[in-house]
Amino acid sequence: MGLAVGFLEVYGLTAAFVAADAGCKAANVILEPFDRNKPANADKLPVPLLVTIKFRGSIEDVNAALDAAKRAAIQVTDVVSFHTIAAPEGDVNKMLHLSGFDKN
């Protein structure tokens, strides 16, 4: 069986690093590359950049990492959204390795 994936979208890169650190310390997970999004309404957001953190591991570890990461992100900026996929399909797994940070 494949690894679960948990997504946490936060405002700003600093919150993403803090949340990722907390999640990795709280559970046996690995990180996929961060992703970024600058939405059309960026000027109205607390921080004009949304960053998605992706944790991989067992469903239990991913959920524990997400819980810790959410608590940490709220201390810096805030959480936009989060979700867990217990067993991502093959094409979804391929997409997890893509990152907007790789683009100029």
Side-chain angles (χ1 to χ4, degrees):
M1 185 158 157
L3 297 175
V5 62
F7 302 94
L8 178 67
E9 190 172 40
V10 300
Y11 293 111
L13 192 55
T14 300
F17 278 110
V18 170
D21 182 62
C24 288
K25 287 176 178 173
N28 184 26
V29 292
I30 56 172
L31 287 174
E32 292 288 348
F34 286 0
D35 206 351
R36 68 183 168 105
N37 181 26
K38 185 174 181 182
N41 67 340
D43 293 339
K44 296 180 177 115
L45 299 176
V47 177
L49 178 68
L50 302 180
V51 180
T52 303
I53 304 154
K54 298 171 272 187
F55 295 107
R56 298 298 303 260
S58 71
I59 191 73
E60 296 84 6
D61 283 327
V62 166
N63 286 333
L66 281 176
D67 288 343
K70 287 186 285 186
R71 288 191 302 272
I74 288 169
Q75 298 300 311
V76 179
T77 55
D78 206 353
V79 170
V80 179
S81 64
F82 59 92
H83 191 79
T84 302
I85 301 174
E89 192 270 330
D91 287 338
V92 172
N93 276 317
K94 290 178 194 174
M95 298 300 291
L96 291 172
H97 299 287
L98 301 177
S99 172
F101 282 107
D102 295 337
K103 314 290 185 273
N104 290 328

